[in-house]
Amino acid sequence: MAIDTLTDREWKVRLLFLDEVRDYLAEIETEVLGLSDRGLQKSAINKILRAAHSMKGGAAMMGFQALSELAHQLEDFFKILQAKNQTAIASEMESLFLGVIDGMGKVANIHKQRKLPNIDWMQEQIDPPFRRLHAILGDLSSHDEASLLSEEVGQDMRVLMFTTEVDACLDRLTSVLNDPNARLLKEEFELTSQEFGCLGEMLELPAFSQLCEEIAQALADKSNNLKAVATAALAAWRRSQALVLVGQFQALPAHFGIVTANPPSVKDLLTPAPESTLQDSLEETDLQHENSIIYDEHIIYEDPTISLDQSLLDISDFQDITPTDSTIGENLSHKSEQNIGTTVRIPLQQLELLSDRFGELNAERSGLRLQLKRMRDLVQLLNKRMHGLEQSNAQLREAYDRVATSETFKPIAATPPSEKLALPPSETFLPYASRFDLLEMDSYSELHVLSREIMDSVVQLQEVSSDLETALTDTESTERELGRASRQMQTAIEQARMRMLSEIFSRFPRLLRDLSLSHGKQVELVVRGSSTLVERSVIEVLEDPLLHLIRNAFDHGIESPEARIAKGKPPKGRIEIAAGYRGNQTIITVSDDGNGIDFAKLRDRALQMGLSESDLDDSTDIELLELIFEAGFSTAERVTSLSGRGVGMDVVRSNLNRIGGNVRVETEAGKGTTFILTVPVSLSIAKVLLFESSGLQMAILVSGVEEILLIKDAKIHTVADQRLLDWEGYSVPLFKLGDRLQFSRPQLQTETENRPIVDEPLIAIVTHNNVPFGLQVDRYWGEQEVTIRGVQSLIPLPTGFMGCAILGGGKLVPLVDIDGLVAWAINIDLPLSKPLTLMPKKDTQRTTVLVVDDSINVRRFVAMTLEKANYRVEQAKDGLEAMEKLRKMQTLPKNAQVSLVICDIEMPRLDGFGFLVQSRADPHYQDLPVVMLTSRSGNKHRDLAMRLGASAYFSKPFKDNELLQTLSQLISNRQLQST
């Protein structure tokens, strides 16, 4: 099928194969590198032959004929080396093999573009190393192939004979059988059956000998059709040959039968057969499907005892007939070997999609956990309220009993005897209740009954609360199990997304070999931690930075052999790549034992690029080293294929910044240089600590925080206008983020039932370049497992931030880049500090109004009215809570504080009048507009409120437009006064 006629689905399959080709070529290159030093070992040549053979067959099947032919040639070259037992490989031959691998890679890349390689280009660019190797090694002879086959099967002559002699005889019989003019058909098959029988005895294959004997008997039987017997015999021998080649000697058929055109009757089918015959036949049947897949030429031989229509059989007839234990063991072993290491290739986009979906699942799970926490708080609040209701009801009962008792025992005026005697006779018989003393019989009123009903309702609510608590406990248990399963799923997804760094590291030996040959330097490459796992997306970003660093170490670091010997160093230089983990960060170091970085050259080059001498004199070594990461900066004296263009190190830093990584350099003159790369292990899910500063909630990776301290417990002193913190014997610089994070718009507070874990200033100890620093923040909101996402925007993120974290419930918070934030905090000029965000439009700013009322429904109604008018609303249930909220919000930026208060008069704990008194007594709130909104419409209450400092007075119900107009006027007047 032509490449340009393939459907998208077919082309995706071929692209997956071309990805496999890249892996095959990398595996071959790994084995070829260093052959001239260590020689060709058996394990290496086996790996190379397997990879080349897989490429040859796969490319032919996929329609990449040019690639298949090249792989075939490569396979033949190594077969010749194996047949000749040649282990010593010249350096020239190693280079030729590497050239062959490069050429095959180029052809594969052309196929990847849905193109066919040009024949002239192939002859000019690809064929030369193949022709040179052919001139050195020659062609693969049939004798070489036979010897290789014998060696591969461990000198098993049975496989060798069936591959050569038996195969030739069968080919001859096939031509005789297909020749309509053949006159010696019977004689040919009789002679062959005798020869094969003797061969079976010689090779100790009794089943094969028995088969040949039965074939000879069938040929001698004149009642049989000669053509049918010959056809069945050829099929039986072909099947036996196939079984021998795959080592299934125990499955060789021992009996022969002719498959006739007319099937046997049902009566014959149900006739029981000898157990041994059925055993052999069942084994043959099990192998028929396998062999039909493995071999292109499969003529199925069927024993007449099992050539049956399975729909006519009763399974019960075969229940006692089972394969032998040895057969079962071998089959299971064969299947288990096939299952071990089974892999499947899937597009990277599907893995990314799966990771994104899991990130959403993780965010929803975090939201579920928050909702459960809220439910737990509500249940506890319900229990507390019911307890209070129970106490109030008890107090009501006690109060009622006291009142009832006092009324009962009031003194009764004495009745004159004459009046008593004047009572009618019937009145001497008093009612039923009056016959008992007050203490002998309870009396109940309607209030008493109502109290009892309230008590019963409380008990019923307690039962409901208990059921809710039990159900909530079960739900929390289920959520914990969901979390455990989610973490396991996260680990599995991360492992699927992970790739070993060896995918990149394996390319560097070839690179350094070529550089050493072309530049006359001797370099030893040492690789440590190549099995370190990182995400695929990180692997893709790391390739170019590491390549630049290796080339830089070779060119700028490693000296020539003569120079190294003159310095007392070994002539062969050393470049080491090491990788490992630190928290959820991957640390990769690229070091050399060369010259180190020459600071004099750095200064000279900086002067040439326009930096002033005064700036350079004031610069530290670390600041000078930062210059090498600037675009266009190079200390090379001339432009070469390796350096001098000023391109490379800036690419290293920019690529790492894309994934939240960084690079720093350490150097020592005459000893060498080390580049330290830090990249995240995963870019999808991480644990973070949530802090708040200047009203902005931000996330910091758990691995980036060393310790959290309360500021009230810290020892802080000031030296030269720099605040220092005493921490574990160190004087740690302390930065207050609130002084540095200046925003051009208020940080809108999301309405939430949650409260910060620590609602007071505290210090987070972080490290920058292995130096501790303290960051002072306002609040700590706890630890969460969050989904990490990048920010796709034309406007770059402010310095110190590298993405966003999705919290439970879907809230987004910025993710802090510790190194960038600390570096920015150190260098920022506080008086001229620039905002971190652009100036928003004025209509995006919202004024905060505090609504104070003991009725939650009134608060909600007023809040809805204000929010429609684009106000941001805070709520308080009484004057005392309102004062507490005002004091807490005092720490926020001024434009995020409360601008106006709407307050009721009659409230518990602290009423509206009391709130006016306290707020006007506080210097911070003396000019804060307070609008009274109450059901008291009389002038008495109005006058009192205005005298206490109220700004306006509304009675319920109110008119929306009048209230909103008054609020706007009061806020505008206050803003004018403040300016």
Side-chain angles (χ1 to χ4, degrees):
M1 183 181 291
I3 292 180
D4 55 355
T5 62
L6 296 173
T7 64
D8 291 340
R9 184 176 181 183
E10 291 171 333
W11 181 244
K12 285 182 180 179
V13 174
R14 282 155 176 78
L15 283 178
L16 290 176
F17 169 74
L18 291 175
D19 289 338
E20 290 182 356
V21 168
R22 182 187 60 189
D23 296 338
Y24 288 140
L25 292 176
E27 183 179 357
I28 295 174
E29 183 181 88
T30 301
E31 300 300 331
V32 169
L33 281 172
L35 282 182
S36 57
D37 297 329
R38 65 177 183 271
L40 184 60
Q41 301 174 357
K42 185 176 181 179
S43 59
I45 202 169
N46 287 337
K47 291 181 181 179
I48 294 171
L49 287 175
R50 280 196 299 269
H53 186 78
S54 299
M55 277 193 294
K56 178 185 69 174
M61 185 175 63
M62 296 292 172
F64 305 132
Q65 196 59 39
L67 185 61
S68 177
E69 292 175 358
L70 295 179
H72 192 177
Q73 293 183 55
L74 179 62
E75 182 184 17
D76 285 349
F77 291 150
F78 279 98
K79 282 185 176 180
I80 293 171
L81 293 174
Q82 186 183 30
K84 294 179 179 179
N85 291 323
Q86 182 176 340
T87 58
I89 303 297
S91 178
E92 178 192 3
M93 191 178 297
E94 179 182 339
S95 298
L96 289 172
F97 277 125
L98 292 173
V100 164
I101 295 170
D102 291 340
M104 295 177 66
K106 293 176 182 178
V107 173
N109 288 334
I110 291 177
H111 284 312
K112 226 171 187 181
Q113 301 169 15
R114 298 188 82 156
K115 298 179 181 179
L116 294 175
N118 182 272
I119 296 178
D120 296 335
W121 176 82
M122 288 275 295
Q123 293 177 350
E124 181 181 351
Q125 300 290 333
I126 306 301
D127 290 349
F130 285 93
R131 289 196 294 266
R132 179 59 183 156
L133 284 172
H134 182 267
I136 296 174
L137 298 174
D139 293 317
L140 181 66
S141 64
S142 58
H143 176 73
D144 292 338
E145 290 192 73
S147 63
L148 288 176
L149 180 60
S150 177
E151 181 180 351
E152 287 175 3
V153 299
Q155 303 298 332
D156 193 336
M157 292 303 298
R158 296 177 292 183
V159 178
L160 181 60
M161 292 300 295
F162 272 79
T163 304
T164 56
E165 301 298 334
V166 172
D167 188 65
C169 289
L170 294 178
D171 288 342
R172 189 184 75 251
L173 291 177
T174 302
S175 61
V176 171
L177 184 61
N178 293 333
D179 186 1
N181 300 321
R183 299 180 180 179
L184 301 176
L185 180 63
K186 179 178 180 182
E187 290 76 6
E188 286 282 357
F189 274 83
E190 284 180 343
L191 180 60
T192 302
S193 63
Q194 293 175 7
E195 292 176 351
F196 281 178
C198 295
L199 181 64
E201 294 178 359
M202 182 182 68
L203 297 177
E204 298 181 353
L205 298 174
F208 186 67
S209 298
Q210 178 67 26
L211 175 66
C212 294
E213 183 179 346
E214 293 190 7
I215 290 174
Q217 293 173 2
L219 289 169
D221 190 350
K222 295 182 180 181
S223 62
N224 292 331
N225 182 283
L226 179 60
K227 192 81 170 181
V229 173
T231 302
L234 184 59
W237 285 330
R238 284 289 188 188
R239 176 164 177 75
S240 298
Q241 180 195 26
L243 292 173
V244 170
L245 293 181
V246 297
Q248 296 290 335
F249 304 110
Q250 77 282 354
L252 286 171
H255 302 284
F256 174 74
I258 304 172
V259 181
T260 60
N262 297 323
S265 63
V266 176
K267 179 179 179 180
D268 295 333
L269 295 178
L270 297 179
T271 302
E275 182 176 348
S276 60
T277 303
L278 279 172
Q279 174 61 47
D280 294 336
S281 303
L282 285 173
E283 290 175 350
E284 290 177 27
T285 303
D286 292 337
L287 289 167
Q288 284 176 8
H289 177 66
E290 296 179 16
N291 291 326
S292 66
I293 296 175
I294 298 173
Y295 302 104
D296 294 334
E297 189 174 1
H298 56 282
I299 303 174
I300 304 300
Y301 164 73
E302 297 183 1
D303 192 284
T305 56
I306 62 166
S307 180
L308 309 174
D309 185 353
Q310 297 295 331
S311 64
L312 300 176
L313 292 180
D314 186 357
I315 299 299
S316 62
D317 293 338
F318 294 92
Q319 286 180 350
D320 296 332
I321 302 175
T322 57
T324 60
D325 293 338
S326 61
T327 305
I328 294 175
E330 292 171 0
N331 289 338
L332 289 177
S333 176
H334 179 64
K335 291 180 180 178
S336 63
E337 289 175 0
Q338 289 180 334
N339 290 333
I340 293 176
T342 301
T343 59
V344 60
R345 286 180 177 269
I346 61 173
L348 180 60
Q349 294 85 348
Q350 292 188 12
L351 271 181
E352 297 294 342
L353 182 62
L354 180 63
S355 179
D356 291 342
R357 293 295 177 266
F358 178 76
E360 296 174 5
L361 173 64
N362 188 69
E364 294 298 330
R365 183 177 63 83
S366 299
L368 174 62
R369 185 168 58 248
L370 293 176
Q371 292 296 330
L372 287 175
K373 183 178 182 301
R374 182 183 178 189
M375 285 291 295
R376 173 63 67 183
D377 294 340
L378 290 175
V379 169
Q380 292 176 352
L381 179 61
L382 177 62
N383 291 333
K384 181 178 179 181
R385 296 286 171 82
M386 287 191 300
H387 181 67
L389 180 61
E390 187 178 3
Q391 289 180 337
S392 299
N393 188 55
Q395 294 173 359
L396 178 62
R397 287 280 305 279
E398 291 177 0
Y400 166 74
D401 289 342
R402 287 196 299 270
V403 172
T405 303
S406 61
E407 291 179 354
T408 302
F409 285 97
K410 283 182 179 180
I412 302 174
T415 303
S418 59
E419 294 183 8
K420 288 183 181 181
L421 295 174
L423 291 174
S426 58
E427 294 297 331
T428 58
F429 298 97
L430 297 177
Y432 172 82
S434 63
R435 298 183 182 182
F436 295 93
D437 187 84
L438 179 65
L439 299 179
E440 295 180 298
M441 176 64 71
D442 291 336
S443 59
Y444 298 96
S445 66
E446 291 183 1
L447 186 60
H448 196 112
V449 172
L450 179 61
S451 176
R452 175 64 64 183
E453 290 177 354
I454 293 175
M455 180 62 67
D456 292 342
S457 298
V458 169
V459 173
Q460 292 171 1
L461 287 175
Q462 287 176 340
E463 293 176 353
V464 173
S465 175
S466 177
D467 294 340
L468 279 175
E469 192 160 3
T470 302
L472 182 59
T473 301
D474 294 340
T475 306
E476 289 173 337
S477 176
T478 304
E479 190 276 332
R480 285 192 294 270
E481 291 299 316
L482 176 62
R484 181 185 60 81
S486 178
R487 286 188 292 272
Q488 292 176 349
M489 183 178 176
Q490 174 190 347
T491 302
I493 292 177
E494 286 183 349
Q495 289 177 350
R497 290 167 52 90
M498 295 291 183
R499 300 295 293 271
M500 288 192 294
L501 285 174
S502 58
E503 288 192 9
I504 302 177
F505 292 174
S506 60
R507 304 172 190 176
F508 299 144
R510 169 72 184 281
L511 171 67
L512 287 178
R513 177 189 180 278
D514 295 342
L515 292 177
S516 298
L517 292 176
S518 58
H519 292 81
K521 292 183 180 180
Q522 301 178 20
V523 179
E524 174 190 11
L525 177 65
V526 179
V527 178
R528 306 182 190 278
S530 60
S531 60
T532 302
L533 295 171
V534 295
E535 276 192 3
R536 296 168 187 263
S537 53
V538 177
I539 285 278
E540 294 172 357
V541 175
L542 279 176
E543 184 173 357
D544 285 343
L546 288 176
L547 176 64
H548 286 304
L549 292 178
I550 292 294
R551 293 166 65 94
N552 183 79
F554 180 87
D555 186 40
H556 294 283
I558 302 298
E559 313 96 330
S560 64
E562 296 79 11
R564 292 181 64 86
I565 293 174
K567 295 179 181 178
K569 296 181 179 180
K572 180 179 287 189
R574 176 187 176 97
I575 295 178
E576 179 175 329
I577 309 175
Y581 298 118
R582 188 182 68 187
N584 70 336
Q585 300 285 324
T586 302
I587 309 298
I588 303 174
T589 60
V590 179
S591 57
D592 64 73
D593 64 347
N595 272 322
I597 296 178
D598 191 339
F599 285 97
K601 283 187 176 182
L602 281 180
R603 294 176 60 87
D604 293 341
R605 180 57 179 163
L607 289 173
Q608 295 175 13
M609 295 185 66
L611 271 72
S612 64
E613 290 190 8
S614 59
D615 290 339
L616 293 175
D617 291 339
D618 296 337
S619 300
T620 63
D621 289 347
I622 295 178
E623 292 172 338
L624 287 175
L625 288 175
E626 288 294 311
L627 292 175
I628 67 176
F629 296 105
E630 296 294 329
F633 191 92
S634 176
T635 58
E637 298 177 356
R638 63 183 185 278
V639 176
T640 66
S641 59
L642 282 178
S643 60
R645 293 165 295 173
V647 178
M649 300 308 296
D650 61 315
V651 175
V652 172
R653 172 159 286 179
S654 61
N655 281 18
L656 293 176
N657 287 340
R658 280 165 42 200
I659 58 173
N662 63 75
V663 59
R664 59 187 177 89
V665 59
E666 298 176 355
T667 187
E668 185 176 355
K671 297 292 183 66
T673 303
T674 299
F675 288 88
I676 303 170
L677 286 70
T678 303
V679 296
V681 176
S682 173
L683 300 179
S684 53
I685 295 176
K687 287 187 176 181
V688 298
L689 302 176
L690 298 175
F691 297 96
E692 181 183 329
S693 180
S694 299
L696 173 68
Q697 207 173 38
M698 62 188 72
I700 302 179
L701 294 173
V702 171
S703 59
V705 179
E706 302 292 334
E707 190 175 349
I708 299 176
L709 306 172
L710 290 176
I711 197 168
K712 64 182 182 181
D713 299 332
K715 297 180 180 179
I716 302 173
H717 56 278
T718 303
V719 177
D721 296 331
Q722 173 63 59
R723 300 172 71 204
L724 298 176
L725 167 69
D726 291 337
W727 179 71
E728 295 187 357
Y730 295 95
S731 292
V732 178
L734 178 61
F735 303 104
K736 185 177 181 180
L737 289 184
D739 294 340
R740 287 163 168 78
L741 297 179
Q742 298 183 9
F743 300 96
S744 300
R745 57 165 292 174
Q747 298 305 305
L748 303 179
Q749 303 297 310
T750 304
E751 300 293 342
T752 175
E753 297 292 333
N754 299 323
R755 292 292 179 264
I757 304 297
V758 180
D759 194 8
E760 60 179 288
L762 63 159
I763 300 171
I765 304 296
V766 299
T767 58
H768 171 61
N769 291 338
N770 293 325
V771 178
F773 289 86
L775 300 179
Q776 181 178 335
V777 294
D778 299 334
R779 292 178 182 84
Y780 171 60
W781 289 82
E783 177 181 336
Q784 279 195 35
E785 186 177 68
V786 299
T787 301
I788 305 298
R789 288 291 180 268
V791 177
Q792 302 296 330
S793 174
L794 296 177
I795 302 175
L797 283 172
T799 304
F801 299 94
M802 60 180 181
C804 65
I806 305 177
L807 306 184
K811 180 181 178 182
L812 298 178
V813 298
L815 182 64
V816 172
D817 171 20
I818 290 296
D819 289 317
L821 186 65
V822 172
W824 171 77
I826 293 173
N827 299 320
I828 190 173
D829 188 2
L830 288 181
L832 300 177
S833 60
K834 297 181 179 180
L836 293 183
T837 58
L838 298 177
M839 280 289 295
K841 297 180 180 179
K842 292 184 178 180
D843 57 4
T844 61
Q845 297 182 356
R846 295 202 300 169
T847 302
T848 303
V849 175
L850 177 62
V851 177
V852 188
D853 199 298
D854 59 332
S855 171
I856 186 172
N857 292 322
V858 172
R859 294 201 305 268
R860 289 175 178 173
F861 178 78
V862 176
M864 285 190 297
T865 303
L866 297 177
E867 287 171 350
K868 289 179 182 178
N870 201 31
Y871 287 99
R872 179 180 173 273
V873 180
E874 292 284 343
Q875 300 181 23
K877 64 183 179 182
D878 54 41
L880 190 60
E881 184 179 359
M883 291 301 301
E884 293 175 355
K885 184 156 291 190
L886 286 175
R887 293 188 182 102
K888 286 183 180 180
M889 297 185 70
Q890 183 66 27
T891 60
L892 299 178
K894 189 170 183 180
N895 53 7
Q897 297 177 10
V898 173
S899 299
L900 184 142
V901 178
I902 298 177
C903 186
D904 188 17
I905 290 181
E906 296 170 298
M907 296 179 293
R909 298 201 298 175
L910 183 65
D911 60 18
F913 294 140
F915 172 77
L916 283 171
V917 172
Q918 290 195 14
S919 61
R920 294 300 180 242
D922 193 319
H924 295 98
Y925 314 117
Q926 285 181 351
D927 60 343
L928 180 66
V930 179
V931 176
M932 308 306 292
L933 180 62
T934 175
S935 58
R936 299 293 182 178
S937 59
N939 292 331
K940 179 179 179 181
H941 295 87
R942 181 189 298 270
D943 294 341
L944 179 59
M946 301 303 290
R947 285 198 300 270
L948 292 175
S951 304
Y953 193 98
F954 286 84
S955 58
K956 304 172 185 177
F958 60 90
K959 294 182 180 180
D960 294 357
N961 56 346
E962 293 182 1
L963 177 64
L964 294 175
Q965 185 176 0
T966 303
L967 297 185
S968 177
Q969 185 65 38
L970 291 173
I971 294 173
S972 298
N973 293 339
R974 189 191 185 206
Q975 290 175 349
L976 290 175
Q977 292 175 3
S978 62
T979 56

